[in-house]
Amino acid sequence: MLRPKVPTMPTPARLGSPPVAVEPAAVEQYPPVPAPAPSRPTARLTPGTALALVGGGTAVVLVVGTVLISMLLAVTVTAASVAVCALVVRSLVSTQHRR
């Protein structure tokens, strides 16, 4: 009941001569195709462009650093204010229980 059934080979629709083995044709070998030459020249780095790249990279690093530091400062200020609020609420609750 739980055994898999192996499919049987279907019979051909019409009876004819058995298939004839065909020998593969001779494989023709062609010489390798050379790679095409690049259509545009490679970019050369002049001192001006190198200086512009260094300046741009420095500006990006400074901007990203400023954003990350400001986010860290915002998290620090928020955590400190929440801690102060928690102390105030705790003090108010404890003085209410003493009275």
Side-chain angles (χ1 to χ4, degrees):
M1 181 158 102
L2 296 176
R3 290 186 180 182
K5 291 187 175 184
V6 179
T8 58
M9 186 71 149
T11 57
R14 55 184 183 155
L15 298 174
S17 61
V20 179
V22 178
E23 293 188 26
V27 178
E28 295 182 26
Q29 301 228 346
Y30 295 103
V33 178
S39 60
R40 59 183 180 155
T42 58
R44 301 201 179 209
L45 209 58
T46 63
T49 57
L51 188 62
L53 286 175
V54 169
T58 304
V60 166
V61 166
L62 289 176
V63 167
V64 169
T66 303
V67 168
L68 291 177
I69 293 295
S70 65
M71 288 172 66
L72 182 63
L73 186 61
V75 168
T76 305
V77 168
T78 303
S81 65
V82 167
V84 168
C85 288
L87 286 175
V88 168
V89 168
R90 180 178 164 192
S91 171
L92 289 174
V93 168
S94 66
T95 56
Q96 292 252 340
H97 285 298
R98 289 185 189 166
R99 292 186 177 182

